[in-house]
Amino acid sequence: MFDLGSLNPEQRQAVVTHRGPVLILAGAGTGKTRTLTCRVAQMVRQGIAPGSILAVTFTNKAAREMQERVRQMLPGESRQRSRDRSEEKKLDRPTVCTFHSLCVRILRQHIEKLGWKRNFVIYDAADQLGAVKKILSGISARGEKTDPGAVLALLSKFKNSGPDAKIFGDENIRALAEHVKSRYETALHAANAVDFDDLILLTMRLFQEHPDALALCRDRWRFVMVDEYQDTNSSQFAVVHALTQESRNLCVVGDDDQSIYGWRGAEIANILDLEKHFPEVRIVRLEQNYRSTNIILKAANGVIQNNTRRRGKTLWSAKGDGERIVLHTFSSDEEEARTVVENIEYDRNVHRIGWAAQAVLFRTNLQARPLETELRKARVRYRLIGGQSFFDRREIRDFLAYLKTFVNPHDDIALLRIANTPARGLSDVTLERLLAVSSERNASVFTVMRHTDVLDNFRSNTREAITAFVRFIEEVRAPLELPTAFSLVDWADEWLKCIGYLDELRRTEKDPEVAENRVRNLCELLATLNGDPIQRKPATPPNSTLPDLARPNAPGLKLPVVPRSVAYEGSPMERMNEFLEDLTLDQEREEEKENEGEVVTLITMHAAKGLEFPRVHIVGVEDGLLPHSRSKLEGTVDEERRLFYVAITRAQETLRISHCESRRKYGQLMPCHPSAFLKELPADCVQHANAADAIPVEVKRGPDFFALMRAATE
């Protein structure tokens, strides 16, 4: 059980108010989850039947956490759990689940009224894609290629956005999706299947067409609670409204200032306009923050108040003012990443603050690349949340496999990865046969590719493809074995263009923006081949015709002319080996850190919602990143400001914010400008720092500083 006296006055009011509609405005870090679970326990304590209580969350993880907390608070629950399973199933308990789980429960009981059988199956993404492909194969002209994923995405938008919504996208794909829509729905119905969108939409239809089913649901759940209400979409709101329209016992918990998912359908109006549907709603504001210092909260309040359409609330804390926010301006994203890592290591060595206390937040996954690079250099363990590690991306692995093959063609794993990437006539069947022969002869695949007796067992076109690939490897790696110094960047730029790899990335990626991101990733790694990042774009002679090295009898690779002002230490092969060796060691350290909890967290601002860290670094607060360039076109700058607010309120003790004057794209430094949001930070909450004095030591604290440093090394 719990003690009401352990709650602050506003939490207590939320916990004891059970009848009628209630809106709990729970600001960041104000104890929302505890308030919710205490409310359920208090309702049971006051005689409300547990089985009549429904609590809806957005994730299975949140539902499990709430279920466990409620179980611990309900009287006699631990004793009852020890009974046998058949009896445990009969226990009268609150229903705590996600929106989709709730709709599955309802449809399992009543879907026969809509023409499905109760044992319906739920199609996952792969099942849906297969259904769309089957339909397209029957209606598309021969040779016509249509992206089934794009069609499926539009089908989902049609379902969720309503008849009056504006659906954007390629006109041809949109017209095709409209044509496919009825066939897709028929195909699912014929298979007695529904998809995830259907779960909520069919529940809405059930409530509209069959009042008796709705009445049964209303009788069962007399008290409904919805967590993260600011993230609900129009369909979810309709289900909740239908369930509570008569009883009026609806309690919604949320924070309009943390509504950051409009891009995936969330309707902030659901929480802002609740009085339109429940004029008698009582509003309880949770404003006492248990997470952050008052300086951090004042900064967050100062930023978010610039959003005009919001429910007013002012966060405060009993933890004291704390340190001022440090605002950095850096010349480049490399300098920004390097200084962030230096600050993290300074905290660890001097203040004994572990890596686990540190988090670096950014707007887009692309910003993680220089951070990962600097963390690896400094031997700092980290984990990347909300995105794929830079070195795990397909294009990066492909590129590194090419480099490994040029250094050592007998590396079967690397060679097999790139043998048909891009496609050059070496099918999986061909490679399997070559691998089998290499096993029989105890030789590498590259070796057997050069044996004429092996080639004689293949058809002429396959034989030519194998021969061309072998010649390609030999000609591209030949310059590496010369003592002549040359630019590895120009060398790699040349053969990448020869094989058309960048064009292949653009061609095979459905989303053009994702394709360009992949190209940018590869170009950024390419720019580091010479050691320090280059200051110019890899050069290609104008109007030059590059050889197609994948074809038989193709001319050899042109060795780039190296400017006399450029000096490189070591032979090309030695430099290449050193580059790959450093990356390999980094990969081993990456695997080691998976088993250790003491790691720095790299995380997107969206993924950071709901989390907290003692020390937070927000990087790249620049115009075009935050607010994102798209937001100005789409009119969603307010949501970007809310995202910045969420990022600020993740910090518990200290906060550093930075922006750059330039950021590297495609190997070149492009100018950047500070975000307008930075001007909204209250001046008395911020202290400015130059990159040169990022780790200041006051003269009077000098002896203490050096004493700490000596202690750290003992």
Side-chain angles (χ1 to χ4, degrees):
M1 290 299 290
F2 69 96
D3 180 10
L4 281 174
S6 66
L7 305 173
N8 67 42
E10 292 74 28
Q11 290 176 329
R12 194 156 51 247
Q13 182 186 357
V15 165
V16 301
T17 305
H18 304 152
R19 304 282 175 176
V22 180
L23 167 58
I24 303 175
L25 282 175
T30 56
K32 169 180 67 84
T33 304
R34 174 170 170 75
T35 301
L36 269 175
T37 51
C38 288
R39 189 175 191 273
V40 174
Q42 179 66 11
M43 291 169 74
V44 175
R45 177 191 282 182
Q46 293 298 310
I48 294 174
S52 66
I53 301 170
L54 169 64
V56 186
T57 68
F58 269 83
T59 66
N60 288 316
K61 180 182 177 182
R64 287 192 297 269
E65 181 182 354
M66 188 179 295
Q67 283 173 339
E68 181 59 22
R69 289 199 186 191
V70 168
R71 184 193 67 76
Q72 293 174 358
M73 288 184 177
L74 291 180
E77 187 70 7
S78 297
R79 176 179 54 81
Q80 290 173 324
R81 278 174 62 84
S82 64
R83 300 177 183 178
D84 62 62
R85 268 186 199 178
S86 61
E87 186 173 355
E88 188 174 348
K89 288 181 180 178
K90 299 175 185 177
L91 290 176
D92 195 17
R93 294 181 176 180
T95 301
V96 184
C97 61
T98 65
F99 270 103
H100 286 106
S101 296
L102 170 65
C103 292
V104 169
R105 293 177 186 225
I106 294 171
L107 293 175
R108 289 292 181 201
Q109 294 296 317
H110 304 287
I111 200 169
E112 288 176 329
K113 299 177 185 294
L114 300 177
W116 275 261
K117 297 177 182 178
R118 287 193 183 184
N119 63 341
F120 64 87
V121 296
I122 303 172
Y123 270 16
D124 60 18
D127 296 326
Q128 292 175 260
L129 201 61
V132 170
K133 286 180 178 178
K134 186 175 181 180
I135 295 168
L136 291 175
S137 67
I139 63 175
S140 299
R142 176 171 290 184
E144 180 183 356
K145 291 186 177 180
T146 305
D147 181 2
V151 173
L152 187 59
L154 280 175
L155 287 176
S156 181
K157 289 183 179 180
F158 288 148
K159 287 186 176 186
N160 288 290
S161 302
D164 300 325
K166 295 180 179 179
I167 306 295
F168 299 99
D170 182 274
E171 291 185 4
N172 294 329
I173 297 291
R174 188 167 67 250
L176 183 59
E178 289 177 343
H179 183 64
V180 167
K181 184 174 181 290
S182 61
R183 297 191 183 198
Y184 173 76
E185 292 172 350
T186 300
L188 261 64
H189 198 173
N192 195 38
V194 300
D195 60 25
F196 279 98
D197 294 325
D198 289 331
L199 292 174
I200 293 176
L201 296 174
L202 287 176
T203 301
M204 288 171 54
R205 182 180 152 196
L206 176 73
F207 288 169
Q208 292 165 357
E209 298 178 4
H210 299 277
D212 55 330
L214 175 58
L216 288 172
C217 292
R218 286 174 173 172
D219 287 342
R220 178 177 179 183
W221 295 301
R222 303 291 298 171
F223 297 86
V224 178
M225 301 168 60
V226 183
D227 192 13
E228 301 288 4
Y229 194 65
Q230 76 279 351
D231 295 334
T232 54
N233 61 31
S234 56
S235 301
Q236 291 161 340
F237 167 78
V239 170
V240 169
H241 186 253
L243 285 173
T244 58
Q245 199 168 17
E246 283 190 358
S247 72
R248 316 299 283 179
N249 294 327
L250 171 65
C251 174
V252 298
V253 187
D255 181 8
D256 53 300
D257 290 336
Q258 296 186 73
S259 179
I260 59 174
Y261 297 117
W263 49 274
R264 68 183 189 194
E267 294 277 359
I268 192 173
N270 290 348
I271 195 169
L272 292 177
D273 300 334
L274 190 61
E275 288 90 342
K276 291 182 179 179
H277 306 279
F278 297 92
E280 74 277 29
V281 65
R282 280 171 287 185
I283 300 176
V284 180
R285 286 177 168 80
L286 304 185
E287 297 175 306
Q288 182 176 357
N289 178 284
Y290 295 91
R291 173 187 299 156
S292 309
T293 64
N294 277 310
I295 288 287
I296 292 170
L297 296 177
K298 184 178 180 181
N301 291 331
V303 168
I304 202 62
Q305 69 183 7
N306 290 280
N307 277 1
T308 54
R309 192 163 185 258
R310 62 183 287 263
R311 291 185 179 273
K313 68 186 78 68
T314 302
L315 299 181
W316 64 276
S317 172
K319 296 177 67 173
D321 286 343
E323 299 178 23
R324 284 197 292 169
I325 297 167
V326 180
L327 180 61
H328 288 279
T329 301
F330 295 108
S331 61
S332 68
D333 51 346
E334 285 99 346
E335 185 182 30
E336 177 183 55
R338 187 165 55 251
T339 306
V340 166
V341 176
E342 287 172 356
N343 278 306
I344 289 171
E345 285 299 84
Y346 174 84
D347 281 344
R348 185 172 71 95
N349 292 322
V350 176
H351 297 303
R352 302 297 195 187
I353 295 171
W355 289 329
Q358 306 273 4
V360 188
L361 276 61
F362 37 82
R363 175 63 177 84
T364 69
N365 284 320
L366 286 174
Q367 294 168 258
R369 198 277 306 168
L371 292 163
E372 288 193 79
T373 299
E374 291 300 325
L375 288 164
R376 287 166 179 264
K377 285 181 181 177
R379 308 295 191 259
V380 175
R381 293 189 294 274
Y382 68 91
R383 59 175 177 166
L384 179 64
I385 300 176
Q388 185 183 31
S389 172
F390 178 81
F391 297 95
D392 285 338
R393 292 181 168 94
R394 169 169 59 90
E395 64 276 13
I396 300 303
R397 287 188 174 275
D398 285 349
F399 180 68
L400 293 178
Y402 267 106
L403 297 185
K404 290 176 182 178
T405 301
F406 295 141
V407 169
N408 176 20
H410 305 291
D411 181 340
D412 285 349
I413 294 175
L415 182 139
L416 290 172
R417 181 180 180 94
I418 56 94
N420 205 42
T421 305
R424 49 172 64 90
L426 299 176
S427 67
D428 289 344
V429 173
T430 298
L431 295 175
E432 285 178 8
R433 289 177 61 187
L434 289 168
L435 185 60
V437 174
S438 73
S439 297
E440 290 173 3
R441 301 190 179 191
N442 197 25
S444 69
V445 173
F446 186 72
T447 298
V448 300
M449 280 181 162
R450 301 163 73 184
H451 287 180
T452 55
D453 62 322
V454 173
L455 296 180
D456 289 342
N457 294 319
F458 291 92
R459 289 182 297 183
S460 60
N461 57 340
T462 302
R463 188 163 57 245
E464 290 175 359
I466 296 172
T467 302
F469 177 66
V470 169
R471 185 168 63 255
F472 163 67
I473 298 298
E474 291 174 337
E475 292 187 357
V476 173
R477 74 182 303 267
L480 295 178
E481 298 184 315
L482 299 174
T484 309
F486 63 89
S487 167
L488 292 176
V489 172
D490 289 347
W491 166 80
D493 185 52
E494 180 87 7
W495 60 258
L496 277 171
K497 289 179 179 177
C498 287
I499 63 175
Y501 184 80
L502 300 185
D503 292 335
E504 178 76 0
L505 278 180
R506 294 185 177 101
R507 186 186 68 80
T508 56
E509 194 62 58
K510 301 172 185 175
D511 186 334
E513 184 175 352
V514 173
E516 288 308 311
N517 287 343
R518 290 192 180 281
V519 170
R520 185 183 308 166
N521 289 335
L522 186 51
C523 289
E524 287 179 351
L525 181 61
L526 172 65
T528 68
L529 269 180
N530 287 333
D532 293 331
I534 60 169
Q535 301 300 315
R536 59 184 176 81
K537 188 176 180 180
T540 300
N543 303 318
S544 65
T545 303
L546 294 167
D548 183 354
L549 296 175
R551 292 181 179 175
N553 304 318
L557 183 79
K558 300 175 182 177
L559 186 64
V561 176
V562 184
R564 291 184 179 180
S565 60
V566 179
Y568 301 111
E569 293 184 4
S571 69
M573 186 65 79
E574 288 172 342
R575 288 160 52 214
M576 182 61 69
N577 269 317
E578 183 179 350
F579 178 83
L580 291 173
E581 184 179 284
D582 286 344
L583 284 180
T584 301
L585 291 174
D586 284 335
Q587 293 292 343
E588 290 176 358
R589 284 188 289 274
E590 181 81 4
E591 292 174 4
E592 288 174 8
K593 75 175 175 58
E594 292 297 329
N595 299 321
E596 300 185 36
E598 187 63 26
V599 294
V600 173
T601 298
L602 303 184
I603 190 168
T604 62
M605 295 178 185
H606 281 99
K609 184 172 177 286
L611 303 178
E612 58 186 33
F613 306 92
R615 303 204 165 210
V616 169
H617 311 254
I618 304 176
V619 299
V621 185
E622 298 147 21
D623 188 47
L625 282 175
L626 188 73
H628 198 278
S629 53
R630 288 195 307 265
S631 66
K632 298 177 182 179
L633 301 174
E634 299 170 354
T636 56
V637 172
D638 280 4
E639 181 163 317
E640 293 289 296
R641 184 178 285 108
R642 292 194 291 270
L643 187 59
F644 188 36
Y645 171 84
V646 166
I648 292 172
T649 54
R650 299 311 95 194
Q652 295 173 290
E653 299 170 6
T654 66
L655 175 61
R656 292 177 178 269
I657 301 175
S658 59
H659 67 92
C660 301
E661 295 173 338
S662 61
R663 191 167 290 277
R664 192 170 296 279
K665 295 181 180 179
Y666 298 103
Q668 288 185 307
L669 286 174
M670 307 298 290
C672 301
H673 304 283
S675 168
F677 293 161
L678 294 176
K679 297 178 181 178
E680 299 172 359
L681 293 167
D684 59 343
C685 294
V686 177
Q687 68 179 65
H688 294 262
N690 296 321
D693 54 19
I695 307 176
V697 180
E698 299 175 13
V699 174
K700 63 182 180 181
R701 293 182 57 217
D704 294 338
F705 171 75
F706 289 112
L708 285 168
M709 289 298 291
R710 281 194 298 271
T713 58
E714 291 177 356

